[in-house]
Amino acid sequence: MASAVIRLVRRPAAALLIARSCRHVRQLSHHMLPGGLVCSKPARELTMLLPRASPYQMWSRSFASENGDLVDAVVPFMGESITDGTLATFLKKPGDRVEVDEPIAQIETDKVTIDVNSPEAGIIQKFVAKEGDTVTPGTKVAVISKSYPSDTHVAPSDDKVVKDAQPPSPPTGAPQPTPPTEKIDKQVLKEEGSTKEKPKVPSAATLPKTSPSEPQLPPKERERRVPMPRLRKRVATRLKDSQNTFAMLTTFNEVDMTNLMKLRSEYKDAFVEKHGVKLGLMSGFVKAAVSGLQNQPIINAVIDGDDIIYRDYVDISIAVGTPKGLVVPVIRNAGRLNFAGIEKEINNLAKKANNGTISIDEMAGGTFTISNGGVYGSLMSTPIINPPQSAILGMHSIVSRPMVVDGNIIPRPMMYVALTYDHRLIDGREAVFFLRRIKDVVEDPRRLLLDL
């Protein structure tokens, strides 16, 4: 038997035929060509060496491996502090065409939403993971086929058999006879319908009696239970930890917005023309906060065990509310930026936050936070500290109120501002001086030019 196999293998055609029967073969390590030539090449490269009219070329197509066209889409690295995430949703369906680096799924983590991109252009063959699964970096999510699926055709003989198996349809004008079994079924249904009794209506005596003191709760059908998103879980945990850790105290003041609003109104067109971004009120408060932190360095510090860490830089965190939850991107080195630089950075970070494309690095760190609840119409609030920081400034809505100016009562656009601080580290004196500095700079922005 062994000698017979050896004789077959010495023939090139027989060698290819034997390989054709081995469907598990992914790559032939040695191929024997006419003349006894032995080479180590994939089967696809070997077939290119054969003549076009050769039967070997035709046979090689039937056992060429297709697994080389399959690639896996895996969960990417999600950040140093993130170990896992939840597969939130699939952006594509099996059978959809995808390009290189095109997002096919989204992973929801404690901080950001991360896309799973296709490593190659091709067709999504199947999804390995399911929505709601907890995944880690490197987990396989989908299988991508780099080859296009070929159109399937019905063989002529099969098509003929199917057509022959179908009975001939009767002429359109001829009446169709009713089967006798259908007549019997109709008669039986008619008799059963006439003999059925009407349903009995329950009387008042048979109904269960409820106690007058028993509360009438809404039915469970009117309630919906959905899993909490990971971002919301993370926000809830951090806010509760902040409440349990810090000795939080809030002090308030009010700011006359007349001069800052006048400054914006006078230079808004020229500002947009030169810098390509609108002049808002947030940049004025960021500059005021930088000035206040420089005057009161303890507001920019933090407790670390038995030590106090003083930060000689100012990174301002801006709280941004998104449809998926609250995120806090950071403006790096805010003290070195001018009004235009601050406005550009705020717009860029806000767009990324709302689109879900903000990265972990853009939210890490931060020495002081500004939260603007006024965009939602909040008149006054007590913001919660964002750890590991020691204070947070809360802005609120601008309301026209009667104010006494030079002995006269006139309407002025006023805003309440709040500073929540860690009373373990910051005394009331420093907190009030800081908030007073915010008020002075916003009410008279010229102080920034004169360093007053």
Side-chain angles (χ1 to χ4, degrees):
M1 180 65 183
S3 60
V5 173
I6 294 174
R7 286 196 302 270
L8 287 174
V9 170
R10 288 177 179 175
R11 300 179 183 179
L16 293 178
L17 184 60
I18 292 174
R20 177 183 180 184
S21 62
C22 300
R23 298 184 179 274
H24 63 280
V25 176
R26 297 292 182 263
Q27 176 175 323
L28 299 179
S29 59
H30 294 82
H31 307 286
M32 281 159 279
L33 299 179
L37 178 63
V38 178
C39 62
S40 297
K41 288 182 177 294
R44 297 174 184 270
E45 298 182 15
L46 174 62
T47 57
M48 299 303 296
L49 301 176
L50 299 177
R52 293 183 179 271
S54 173
Y56 311 140
Q57 181 81 9
M58 184 185 303
W59 293 343
S60 66
R61 293 173 184 170
S62 61
F63 66 85
S65 173
E66 297 294 335
N67 286 353
D69 294 334
L70 299 181
V71 293
D72 297 333
V74 299
V75 177
F77 177 70
M78 297 183 289
E80 296 181 357
S81 60
I82 300 178
T83 58
D84 58 9
T86 301
L87 183 56
T89 181
F90 286 110
L91 304 178
K92 299 291 183 179
K93 297 179 181 179
D96 288 353
R97 167 72 180 173
V98 292
E99 301 297 335
V100 179
D101 294 335
E102 183 177 357
I104 62 175
Q106 287 185 337
I107 307 297
E108 189 178 79
T109 68
D110 298 340
K111 298 181 179 180
V112 294
T113 300
I114 299 174
D115 292 335
V116 178
N117 298 328
S118 174
E120 297 286 346
I123 304 296
I124 298 179
Q125 189 180 64
K126 63 178 180 178
F127 289 130
V128 179
K130 300 179 181 179
E131 292 185 359
D133 289 353
T134 300
V135 294
T136 57
T139 302
K140 183 165 66 173
V141 174
V143 177
I144 309 297
S145 175
K146 294 188 291 184
S147 61
Y148 294 91
S150 58
D151 297 334
T152 57
H153 300 280
V154 180
S157 58
D158 298 340
D159 193 10
K160 183 178 180 181
V161 172
V162 172
K163 291 182 179 179
D164 294 342
Q166 295 179 354
S169 58
T172 56
Q176 298 183 0
T178 304
T181 56
E182 185 177 350
K183 294 182 180 179
I184 297 174
D185 293 340
K186 290 183 178 179
Q187 184 177 359
V188 172
L189 292 175
K190 185 176 181 181
E191 292 177 357
E192 290 180 355
S194 60
T195 56
K196 283 184 179 179
E197 297 181 359
K198 296 182 179 180
K200 295 182 179 180
V201 180
S203 59
T206 60
L207 294 176
K209 296 182 180 180
T210 58
S211 174
S213 60
E214 184 179 351
Q216 299 296 325
L217 299 177
K220 294 295 184 181
E221 292 78 7
R222 297 173 58 185
E223 298 178 351
R224 291 184 299 112
R225 182 183 294 270
V226 296
M228 183 182 295
R230 294 178 67 97
L231 180 59
R232 176 52 56 189
K233 289 181 183 179
R234 181 62 176 169
V235 171
T237 301
R238 287 178 60 84
L239 292 180
K240 191 59 182 176
D241 291 344
S242 175
Q243 190 179 41
N244 296 336
T245 302
F246 299 123
M248 289 188 289
L249 186 63
T250 305
T251 182
F252 300 91
N253 211 323
E254 58 182 359
V255 178
D256 188 349
M257 301 292 295
T258 301
N259 291 330
L260 186 59
M261 295 177 65
K262 183 179 179 181
L263 178 69
R264 183 181 66 169
S265 177
E266 290 180 356
Y267 295 101
K268 62 179 180 180
D269 295 335
F271 193 87
V272 172
E273 183 178 356
K274 181 176 181 179
H275 302 290
V277 65
K278 294 182 179 180
L279 177 62
L281 299 178
M282 183 62 74
S283 57
F285 276 90
V286 171
K287 296 293 289 185
V290 170
S291 177
L293 293 173
Q294 292 172 347
N295 290 347
Q296 302 294 332
I298 194 65
I299 307 293
N300 204 42
V302 66
I303 294 177
D304 185 16
D306 296 332
D307 301 327
I308 299 176
I309 300 177
Y310 286 89
R311 295 146 167 167
D312 296 330
Y313 60 94
V314 178
D315 289 348
I316 302 295
S317 303
I318 305 295
V320 179
T322 67
K324 294 184 178 181
L326 180 68
V327 295
V328 190
V330 180
I331 301 176
R332 306 290 180 188
N333 298 317
R336 301 178 182 178
L337 300 177
N338 55 13
F339 280 81
I342 294 174
E343 290 293 347
K344 290 179 181 179
E345 193 68 15
I346 291 175
N347 289 343
N348 183 36
L349 294 174
K351 289 180 181 179
K352 289 184 177 181
N354 289 318
N355 296 336
T357 58
I358 193 167
S359 64
I360 299 292
D361 296 337
E362 291 172 322
M363 295 190 297
T367 62
F368 184 78
T369 298
I370 299 178
S371 176
N372 187 7
V375 295
Y376 307 111
S378 174
L379 181 63
M380 187 178 295
S381 66
T382 56
I384 300 178
I385 299 174
N386 179 28
Q389 301 173 9
S390 299
I392 179 173
L393 176 67
M395 299 169 53
H396 301 91
S397 59
I398 301 174
V399 180
S400 180
R401 297 200 306 270
M403 303 298 296
V404 178
V405 179
D406 297 333
N408 299 320
I409 300 177
I410 57 177
R412 286 296 181 97
M414 304 298 297
M415 173 192 290
Y416 288 116
V417 290
L419 178 71
T420 299
Y421 57 95
D422 185 3
H423 208 355
R424 302 177 304 164
L425 177 64
I426 304 170
D427 294 331
R429 174 178 175 273
E430 286 81 8
V432 172
F433 282 170
F434 174 83
L435 205 56
R436 181 69 187 184
R437 180 62 180 175
I438 297 287
K439 175 182 174 66
D440 293 341
V441 172
V442 173
E443 290 185 346
D444 189 2
R446 295 173 297 180
R447 290 176 175 270
L448 294 175
L449 300 176
L450 301 176
D451 194 17
L452 296 177

